[in-house]
Amino acid sequence: LTTRSRARPGLPANMLSPYDYAVIAVYFLFLLTIGSVFHRSNKSTSEFFRGGGKVLWWIVGATAFMTQFSAWTFTGAASKAYDNGFLVLAIYASNALAFFLNYLGAAPRLRRMRVITTFEGIRQRWSRGNEQFFTWIQLPTGILLAGIALNGLGVILSAVFGLDIQLTMIAAGLIVIFMAAFGGAWAAAAGDFMQMLVLMAVTTAAAFLALHQVGGVSGFMAKLPEGSLVWGQPGRSSVVVFWILALIFGQAVTVNNMSDGYRYLCAKDDRHAGRGALLATALFVVGPLLWFIPPMVGKILFPDLSVVPALKQLGAQASEGAYLAVGIATMPKGMLGLMVTSLFAATISNMDTGLNKNTGIFIRSFYHPLLRPLASDRELMVASRVATVGFGLMTVLAAFMFNSMAGLSLFQLMQNFASLVSMPIAMPLLWGIFYKKTPPWSGWSTVVVCLFTSLIVGNLTTFFGPGAYARLLAFAPPIAQVEHASIVFSLGVFANIVVGSLWFFGSSLWYRRQPEEYRAGVEAFFLKLRTPVAAAEEGGGNADHTQYRTLGLLCTCYGGFILLLILIPNPPIGRLAFLFVGGTIGGIGLWLLRQGRKKAALLQSN
């Protein structure tokens, strides 16, 4: 702990020490190094967009995990934990369940598409017209989602630490652009694994320090506000149950569809894809249990965050600074810098992989087939890097746009976007890999029908007058504001699932009327989904030792740097925190190096 009293923690005026700034600077340099290390690994668009289909399961799992959330977890979701206690865990429990469903079926099937980008799979499943439709609806929504994440990062860091918000977003955006443009999928995947280790180690230390501040686990349980371990006070129980069920079904759809299959296209084979999904499942079980201890401790230490000087700039959304407020009050010098890097890690991992995905869609589904069908792979590589820069700059501009919206609730914005925009796109892409007897127009038309459904759900009071939501669900009026947001989200999820499913499966009545050529193409696509991938099929078997060695060296170096932070003048418990974080990352690095040597020796003996 810092030298501030455990009984009365405070937030100093100058919260980041020179040590913290040094830690952040080294972290950024380390990310740039990752981009440079993998620059020469990209000799083709297959390597650039999916690592050549050679990536091992523990890297695949880290990518699947890190790309499912952003700094929003430690701002918008943390505010939910501060206000309502453990209820927020429902979001991440639904993620764990969704990835377990990935493991049971979707992940191996998605890898078996044997394509460079998932949208090439859409072309094979339906038609080139569907591929173009989904391309031009995915690109803007992908940019907007990344912009929301980047804006959330900028807002919280500028408000709490006084960093310039535009400079923060530009700096993070440029780092992402460099990694994605130079390192491609290899750098994104390696960065995801590294940042997963940093995130998990630092948030474990943050949870421990926060608990120590309130007297350990027993003190934490005794001092928690009433209701924190159940629902808190988010509204009537029926609304809460409705919201939780919507989360479970919504995440099952959004994680198991073809668009999100990009996580598994890079896997060495379908077995590695499945094991990667299982690792993501485990991480989503363990991680959230640690992440939301600090904001709940914040409810004990700071019952009213709106009066905390560092958070006054956030106004009505002061609770979005709960996680960082506790970190500031409990962490030793230098460790706060690591906490800031963990927020960057959550956002950057989401952005660089998403940027690589969007660029792959643009190049492989539009530029190459329609604009430059005779382009060489060298030209496509150059175009890929240029497009990466372009989409990255658009993401920064989107973040600026969201930043201009005063009084924006990050939690509500992300929830509404997921239920009213992402769900319509995901519905046909989920059923499309499990059910084949639908005509080519079933893909794009399901999206259109679902978007129209979302428009109605999001504006029920406009169409049907005040009290429409209460009348529809037979709830006693009035509906509180916090209940209204949950109801709109939940209705959006279920309406899209019901309407989208009825429309998609109903279209099968027209399947037999389709040309024989179309039906033969669909049969060929589903035959691929049933045929396991052999690693030797794509030359993935010879890259194992290189992945172990490279990631092991990166982990050992960064873990060693964190261990050096023990020398910073801090109380013993602060030095112990650095020992844990650095020892964990460095220890895993040494283990990976050892495994790499074994793999190399085995390869030579064969």
Side-chain angles (χ1 to χ4, degrees), residues 328-387:
I328 293 166
T330 61
M331 285 189 161
K333 290 178 289 186
M335 183 64 72
L336 199 56
L338 283 178
M339 175 181 274
V340 172
T341 65
S342 70
L343 296 184
F344 274 107
T347 301
I348 287 175
S349 291
N350 184 288
M351 287 178 60
D352 62 3
T353 305
L355 184 56
N356 185 264
K357 170 190 173 183
N358 279 350
T359 304
I361 293 169
F362 176 77
I363 295 296
R364 299 288 306 185
S365 294
F366 178 71
Y367 181 86
H368 188 203
L370 298 183
L371 297 184
R372 300 285 295 171
L374 301 179
S376 65
D377 222 34
R378 178 181 176 83
E379 177 187 335
L380 293 178
M381 286 296 298
V382 173
S384 298
R385 291 193 164 98
V386 172

Side-chain angles (χ1 to χ4, degrees), residues 1-17 82 156 159-162 213 294 297-314 318-332 336 339:
L1 291 173
T2 62
T3 55
R4 293 187 290 279
S5 168
R6 278 183 53 178
R8 298 178 60 84
L11 300 183
N14 185 17
M15 288 167 284
L16 289 177
S17 70
Y82 177 87
I156 198 68
V160 179
F161 299 114
Q213 182 73 51
V297 167
K299 193 69 172 180
I300 300 170
L301 300 180
F302 310 106
D304 185 3
L305 280 170
S306 65
V307 302
V308 176
L311 304 181
K312 282 185 177 179
Q313 185 179 335
L314 289 172
S319 60
E320 291 175 353
Y323 192 95
L324 285 172
V326 174
I328 293 166
T330 61
M331 285 189 161
L336 199 56
M339 175 181 274

Side-chain angles (χ1 to χ4, degrees), residues 561-574:
F561 162 72
I562 295 175
L563 285 175
L564 290 177
L565 301 180
I566 294 174
L567 301 177
I568 298 174
N570 277 310
I573 194 170

Side-chain angles (χ1 to χ4, degrees), residues 92 189 221 275 279 350 379 412 426 584:
Y92 298 89
M221 300 296 288
R275 292 171 69 185
L279 174 60
N350 184 288
E379 177 187 335
Q412 186 174 341
T584 299

Side-chain angles (χ1 to χ4, degrees), residues 61-416:
T63 293
F65 174 67
M66 292 297 293
T67 55
Q68 189 59 26
F69 63 96
S70 67
W72 175 85
T73 290
F74 303 98
T75 55
S79 73
K80 195 75 172 175
Y82 177 87
D83 292 330
N84 304 129
F86 274 122
L87 177 61
V88 73
L89 288 178
I91 297 175
Y92 298 89
S94 64
N95 273 327
L97 178 59
F99 276 106
F100 186 67
L101 293 175
N102 255 188
Y103 164 71
L104 292 179
R109 292 173 75 85
L110 291 166
R111 176 61 183 89
R112 291 170 189 166
M113 288 194 298
R114 296 169 171 85
V115 291
I116 294 178
T117 70
T118 54
F119 281 43
E120 291 174 294
I122 292 175
R123 181 202 310 162
Q124 296 174 11
R125 168 60 181 87
W126 283 292
S127 66
R128 189 174 293 279
N130 273 274
E131 179 187 26
Q132 293 306 306
F133 174 84
F134 281 99
T135 293
W136 294 108
I137 200 170
Q138 164 62 34
L139 292 179
T141 54
I143 291 170
L144 289 175
L145 274 173
I148 293 173
L150 184 56
N151 171 64
L153 177 69
V155 167
I156 198 68
L157 293 184
S158 65
V160 179
F161 299 114
L163 301 176
D164 181 87
I165 185 168
Q166 295 185 346
L167 184 61
T168 300
M169 292 190 293
I170 290 173
L174 290 178
I175 291 290
V176 170
I177 290 170
F178 179 85
M179 287 184 64
F182 281 84
W186 277 116
D192 289 344
F193 179 78
M194 285 294 308
Q195 292 177 106
M196 180 272 290
L197 292 181
V198 172
L199 178 78
M200 294 300 291
V202 172
T203 53
T204 300
F208 173 78
L209 292 169
L211 288 173
H212 185 80
Q213 182 73 51
V214 293
V217 175
S218 59
F220 173 67
M221 300 296 288
K223 296 173 184 176
L224 273 177
E226 185 179 357
S228 294
L229 299 180
V230 192
W231 308 132
Q233 300 297 325
R236 66 196 89 186
S237 59
S238 54
V239 174
V240 174
V241 172
F242 192 38
W243 179 72
I244 290 175
L245 290 174
L247 283 172
I248 293 172
F249 281 93
Q251 286 304 100
V253 172
T254 56
V255 171
N256 287 274
N257 67 84
M258 289 174 71
S259 180
D260 277 3
Y262 72 91
R263 297 183 174 109
Y264 304 111
L265 295 183
C266 63
K268 179 179 175 180
D269 55 35
D270 46 291
R271 287 178 54 255
H272 279 257
R275 292 171 69 185
L278 195 59
L279 174 60
T281 302
L283 290 171
F284 268 117
V285 171
V286 176
L289 294 175
L290 301 170
W291 299 341
F292 298 115
I293 288 175
M296 293 175 69
V297 167
K299 193 69 172 180
I300 300 170
L301 300 180
F302 310 106
D304 185 3
L305 280 170
S306 65
V307 302
V308 176
L311 304 181
K312 282 185 177 179
Q313 185 179 335
L314 289 172
Q317 278 75 49
S319 60
E320 291 175 353
Y323 192 95
L324 285 172
V326 174
I328 293 166
T330 61
M331 285 189 161
K333 290 178 289 186
M335 183 64 72
L336 199 56
L338 283 178
M339 175 181 274
V340 172
T341 65
S342 70
L343 296 184
F344 274 107
T347 301
I348 287 175
S349 291
N350 184 288
M351 287 178 60
D352 62 3
T353 305
L355 184 56
N356 185 264
K357 170 190 173 183
N358 279 350
T359 304
I361 293 169
F362 176 77
I363 295 296
R364 299 288 306 185
S365 294
F366 178 71
Y367 181 86
H368 188 203
L370 298 183
L371 297 184
R372 300 285 295 171
L374 301 179
S376 65
D377 222 34
R378 178 181 176 83
E379 177 187 335
L380 293 178
M381 286 296 298
V382 173
S384 298
R385 291 193 164 98
V386 172
T388 299
V389 174
F391 285 123
L393 293 176
M394 291 180 196
T395 299
V396 175
L397 291 176
F400 282 8
M401 178 190 71
F402 287 116
N403 182 245
S404 66
M405 299 179 184
L408 188 68
S409 169
L410 298 176
F411 185 87
Q412 186 174 341
L413 177 64
M414 188 66 84
Q415 289 265 290
N416 286 348

